[in-house]
Amino acid sequence: MLKVKNISYRLPNQHMLFEKVSLTMKQGYIVGLSGDSGLGKTTFAKIISGYLQAEEGEINWQIRKHEPSPVQLIWQHPEQAVNPRWRIEKIIKEAGELDQSLLAACNIPTEWLHRYPSQLSGGQLQRVCIYRCLVTKPSYIIADEITTMLDPVAQADIWKWLIHYVRNKQIGLMIICHDELLLEKLCDDVIHFRDLMKPTAVD
Ligand SMILES: Nc1ncnc2c1ncn2[C@@H]1O[C@H](COP(=O)(O)OP(=O)(O)OP(=O)(O)O)[C@@H](O)[C@H]1O
């Protein structure tokens, strides 16, 4: 169980973005996180996955140097998450070895490996980013608006196999999304970011 307790974050301009946010994530369980734009959902996700340091609070993981974080973040814009001058093979190998069965699970044909990111569609490149996340064998994944820029068919396709994969591997998944109907459909539970600030959110 991932326990995040009383996390507060201060922006560089000294303004407090949020205070005392708490959340529990369980492996094999899918939780949706909704909330108005600018509340701090992405910032919170970056803290849980180890990209940013909180001003105060506790998270019960240990991030070790030279080891991938047990909580992996998948970003909204795949083209901003990869080096545009690297071929897909190098981008993939940066995260881990080539795993043929995982490539197949992510529906990544080997012919893509020799291409550059600009030679893939947004949905195809997002699959590469999801592969990079899964190859590190995370215990938890945070998917931050990962299908917002995709058409409905590509969206449905990604959710169908990603949800099947995380359920099968007992990975905890948090889906951050503005589309509450989609969250209701995909998740075991849907929480509003504001409600995480209540002291009762975690036992
Ligand atoms: N490094 C920074 N310097 C200044 N302001 C920042 C910084 N990082 C985030 N912010 C501000 O913090 C607020 C929260 O940003 P964040 O992206 O976490 O919100 P969000 O809830 O994920 O929004 P959205 O739903 O639109 O993605 C925004 O107003 C943003 O401009």
PDB file of all heavy atoms in Angstrom, residues 11-12 17 36-43 178, ligand 1:
ATOM      1  N   LEU A  11       5.048  26.977  -4.112  1.00  0.00           N
ATOM      2  CA  LEU A  11       5.566  27.331  -5.432  1.00  0.00           C
ATOM      3  C   LEU A  11       6.810  28.205  -5.302  1.00  0.00           C
ATOM      4  O   LEU A  11       7.027  28.815  -4.243  1.00  0.00           O
ATOM      5  CB  LEU A  11       4.490  28.088  -6.214  1.00  0.00           C
ATOM      6  CG  LEU A  11       3.306  27.251  -6.680  1.00  0.00           C
ATOM      7  CD1 LEU A  11       2.190  28.143  -7.210  1.00  0.00           C
ATOM      8  CD2 LEU A  11       3.738  26.252  -7.750  1.00  0.00           C
ATOM      9  N   PRO A  12       7.616  28.289  -6.380  1.00  0.00           N
ATOM     10  CA  PRO A  12       8.816  29.139  -6.319  1.00  0.00           C
ATOM     11  C   PRO A  12       8.501  30.587  -5.934  1.00  0.00           C
ATOM     12  O   PRO A  12       9.328  31.269  -5.329  1.00  0.00           O
ATOM     13  CB  PRO A  12       9.376  29.062  -7.738  1.00  0.00           C
ATOM     14  CG  PRO A  12       8.850  27.782  -8.291  1.00  0.00           C
ATOM     15  CD  PRO A  12       7.519  27.561  -7.649  1.00  0.00           C
ATOM     16  N   LEU A  17       0.702  26.111  -2.881  1.00  0.00           N
ATOM     17  CA  LEU A  17      -0.189  25.566  -3.915  1.00  0.00           C
ATOM     18  C   LEU A  17      -1.246  24.663  -3.282  1.00  0.00           C
ATOM     19  O   LEU A  17      -2.430  24.761  -3.595  1.00  0.00           O
ATOM     20  CB  LEU A  17       0.632  24.786  -4.956  1.00  0.00           C
ATOM     21  CG  LEU A  17      -0.160  24.160  -6.096  1.00  0.00           C
ATOM     22  CD1 LEU A  17      -0.962  25.200  -6.870  1.00  0.00           C
ATOM     23  CD2 LEU A  17       0.769  23.409  -7.042  1.00  0.00           C
ATOM     24  N   ASP A  36     -10.384  20.746 -10.710  1.00  0.00           N
ATOM     25  CA  ASP A  36     -10.265  21.874 -11.627  1.00  0.00           C
ATOM     26  C   ASP A  36      -8.818  22.106 -12.028  1.00  0.00           C
ATOM     27  O   ASP A  36      -7.887  21.763 -11.295  1.00  0.00           O
ATOM     28  CB  ASP A  36     -10.801  23.152 -10.949  1.00  0.00           C
ATOM     29  CG  ASP A  36     -12.190  22.924 -10.378  1.00  0.00           C
ATOM     30  OD1 ASP A  36     -12.874  22.023 -10.891  1.00  0.00           O
ATOM     31  OD2 ASP A  36     -12.552  23.618  -9.411  1.00  0.00           O
ATOM     32  N   SER A  37      -8.680  22.736 -13.166  1.00  0.00           N
ATOM     33  CA  SER A  37      -7.363  23.077 -13.691  1.00  0.00           C
ATOM     34  C   SER A  37      -6.635  24.002 -12.712  1.00  0.00           C
ATOM     35  O   SER A  37      -7.247  24.924 -12.169  1.00  0.00           O
ATOM     36  CB  SER A  37      -7.586  23.791 -15.023  1.00  0.00           C
ATOM     37  OG  SER A  37      -6.453  23.731 -15.782  1.00  0.00           O
ATOM     38  N   GLY A  38      -5.373  23.735 -12.488  1.00  0.00           N
ATOM     39  CA  GLY A  38      -4.548  24.615 -11.662  1.00  0.00           C
ATOM     40  C   GLY A  38      -4.558  24.287 -10.181  1.00  0.00           C
ATOM     41  O   GLY A  38      -3.868  24.935  -9.388  1.00  0.00           O
ATOM     42  N   LEU A  39      -5.308  23.258  -9.760  1.00  0.00           N
ATOM     43  CA  LEU A  39      -5.369  22.912  -8.327  1.00  0.00           C
ATOM     44  C   LEU A  39      -4.036  22.332  -7.831  1.00  0.00           C
ATOM     45  O   LEU A  39      -3.721  22.399  -6.644  1.00  0.00           O
ATOM     46  CB  LEU A  39      -6.465  21.874  -8.074  1.00  0.00           C
ATOM     47  CG  LEU A  39      -7.892  22.365  -7.910  1.00  0.00           C
ATOM     48  CD1 LEU A  39      -8.792  21.183  -7.576  1.00  0.00           C
ATOM     49  CD2 LEU A  39      -7.980  23.417  -6.808  1.00  0.00           C
ATOM     50  N   GLY A  40      -3.312  21.687  -8.751  1.00  0.00           N
ATOM     51  CA  GLY A  40      -2.023  21.118  -8.349  1.00  0.00           C
ATOM     52  C   GLY A  40      -1.924  19.606  -8.525  1.00  0.00           C
ATOM     53  O   GLY A  40      -1.032  18.967  -7.966  1.00  0.00           O
ATOM     54  N   LYS A  41      -2.794  19.020  -9.336  1.00  0.00           N
ATOM     55  CA  LYS A  41      -2.802  17.557  -9.511  1.00  0.00           C
ATOM     56  C   LYS A  41      -1.482  17.067 -10.112  1.00  0.00           C
ATOM     57  O   LYS A  41      -0.904  16.085  -9.642  1.00  0.00           O
ATOM     58  CB  LYS A  41      -3.980  17.120 -10.403  1.00  0.00           C
ATOM     59  CG  LYS A  41      -5.341  17.557  -9.875  1.00  0.00           C
ATOM     60  CD  LYS A  41      -6.455  17.151 -10.792  1.00  0.00           C
ATOM     61  CE  LYS A  41      -6.375  17.732 -12.173  1.00  0.00           C
ATOM     62  NZ  LYS A  41      -6.515  19.210 -12.238  1.00  0.00           N
ATOM     63  N   THR A  42      -1.015  17.763 -11.159  1.00  0.00           N
ATOM     64  CA  THR A  42       0.242  17.341 -11.795  1.00  0.00           C
ATOM     65  C   THR A  42       1.408  17.514 -10.832  1.00  0.00           C
ATOM     66  O   THR A  42       2.294  16.652 -10.735  1.00  0.00           O
ATOM     67  CB  THR A  42       0.481  18.159 -13.090  1.00  0.00           C
ATOM     68  OG1 THR A  42      -0.546  17.827 -14.008  1.00  0.00           O
ATOM     69  CG2 THR A  42       1.834  17.857 -13.710  1.00  0.00           C
ATOM     70  N   THR A  43       1.410  18.605 -10.097  1.00  0.00           N
ATOM     71  CA  THR A  43       2.487  18.849  -9.130  1.00  0.00           C
ATOM     72  C   THR A  43       2.484  17.745  -8.070  1.00  0.00           C
ATOM     73  O   THR A  43       3.544  17.205  -7.711  1.00  0.00           O
ATOM     74  CB  THR A  43       2.269  20.235  -8.464  1.00  0.00           C
ATOM     75  OG1 THR A  43       2.176  21.211  -9.501  1.00  0.00           O
ATOM     76  CG2 THR A  43       3.406  20.585  -7.525  1.00  0.00           C
ATOM     77  N   HIS A 178      -9.766  15.111 -16.605  1.00  0.00           N
ATOM     78  CA  HIS A 178     -10.890  16.026 -16.406  1.00  0.00           C
ATOM     79  C   HIS A 178     -12.217  15.400 -16.795  1.00  0.00           C
ATOM     80  O   HIS A 178     -13.266  15.931 -16.446  1.00  0.00           O
ATOM     81  CB  HIS A 178     -10.687  17.304 -17.237  1.00  0.00           C
ATOM     82  CG  HIS A 178      -9.617  18.182 -16.688  1.00  0.00           C
ATOM     83  ND1 HIS A 178      -8.486  18.509 -17.395  1.00  0.00           N
ATOM     84  CD2 HIS A 178      -9.475  18.774 -15.488  1.00  0.00           C
ATOM     85  CE1 HIS A 178      -7.721  19.283 -16.662  1.00  0.00           C
ATOM     86  NE2 HIS A 178      -8.290  19.462 -15.493  1.00  0.00           N
TER      87      HIS A 178
HETATM   88  N1  LIG B   1       7.544  25.753 -11.227  1.00  0.00           N
HETATM   89  C1  LIG B   1       6.438  26.503 -11.141  1.00  0.00           C
HETATM   90  N2  LIG B   1       6.537  27.832 -11.005  1.00  0.00           N
HETATM   91  C2  LIG B   1       5.427  28.611 -10.889  1.00  0.00           C
HETATM   92  N3  LIG B   1       4.180  28.130 -10.897  1.00  0.00           N
HETATM   93  C3  LIG B   1       4.023  26.803 -11.051  1.00  0.00           C
HETATM   94  C4  LIG B   1       5.136  25.918 -11.163  1.00  0.00           C
HETATM   95  N4  LIG B   1       4.657  24.657 -11.273  1.00  0.00           N
HETATM   96  C5  LIG B   1       3.317  24.759 -11.217  1.00  0.00           C
HETATM   97  N5  LIG B   1       2.926  26.033 -11.093  1.00  0.00           N
HETATM   98  C6  LIG B   1       1.533  26.530 -10.973  1.00  0.00           C
HETATM   99  O1  LIG B   1       0.877  25.682 -10.049  1.00  0.00           O
HETATM  100  C7  LIG B   1      -0.488  25.535 -10.429  1.00  0.00           C
HETATM  101  C8  LIG B   1      -0.849  24.075 -10.447  1.00  0.00           C
HETATM  102  O2  LIG B   1      -0.264  23.423 -11.574  1.00  0.00           O
HETATM  103  P1  LIG B   1      -0.547  21.904 -11.908  1.00  0.00           P
HETATM  104  O3  LIG B   1      -0.064  21.658 -13.300  1.00  0.00           O
HETATM  105  O4  LIG B   1       0.011  21.067 -10.827  1.00  0.00           O
HETATM  106  O5  LIG B   1      -2.147  21.871 -11.844  1.00  0.00           O
HETATM  107  P2  LIG B   1      -3.190  20.814 -12.366  1.00  0.00           P
HETATM  108  O6  LIG B   1      -4.236  20.666 -11.313  1.00  0.00           O
HETATM  109  O7  LIG B   1      -2.486  19.569 -12.793  1.00  0.00           O
HETATM  110  O8  LIG B   1      -3.786  21.544 -13.636  1.00  0.00           O
HETATM  111  P3  LIG B   1      -4.364  20.946 -15.015  1.00  0.00           P
HETATM  112  O9  LIG B   1      -5.616  20.201 -14.638  1.00  0.00           O
HETATM  113  O10 LIG B   1      -4.644  22.172 -15.835  1.00  0.00           O
HETATM  114  O11 LIG B   1      -3.316  20.072 -15.630  1.00  0.00           O
HETATM  115  C9  LIG B   1      -0.659  26.265 -11.748  1.00  0.00           C
HETATM  116  O12 LIG B   1      -1.248  27.511 -11.497  1.00  0.00           O
HETATM  117  C10 LIG B   1       0.751  26.419 -12.261  1.00  0.00           C
HETATM  118  O13 LIG B   1       0.877  27.573 -13.045  1.00  0.00           O
END
